[in-house]
Amino acid sequence: MLSFVIANTLSSLPFLFAIAFATGTICYFMAGLHPGLSHYIFFVINLFGCITVVESLMMAIASVVPNFLMGIVTGAGVLVSLLRPSSFKIRCTLN
């Protein structure tokens, strides 16, 4: 099981980088973020790291949970539990 997760993660890295490069390029220049090559490279590498972490986490969960729907629910629960400590929440501001 561990070899499957590692092999699948390594084989998907070029595609994940292509996705991060394409979407990072579109988002970076469309939003007009800080000009400069180093800022752009940092943005693309950061996006690649985020996509890789989520992909690897879901692959590890998929190898443990036998049911497809339960795998999605479990993966979403784990991702939410990872986002909660980073204060990623909706704040209600009524004025």
Side-chain angles (χ1 to χ4, degrees), residues 13-78:
L13 284 180
F15 302 108
L16 294 179
F17 184 75
I19 291 170
F21 179 73
T23 57
T25 301
I26 292 169
C27 291
Y28 190 84
F29 293 112
M30 189 181 243
L33 297 177
H34 194 287
L37 184 64
S38 63
H39 295 284
Y40 168 70
I41 291 174
F42 177 78
F43 182 75
V44 170
I45 290 174
N46 192 5
L47 187 61
F48 172 71
C50 292
I51 293 172
T52 305
V53 165
V54 171
E55 179 79 18
S56 300
L57 178 69
M58 291 303 284
M59 185 55 56
I61 291 171
S63 67
V64 174
V65 178
N67 189 356
F68 178 73
L69 187 59
M70 285 304 296
I72 292 175
V73 170
T74 306
V78 170

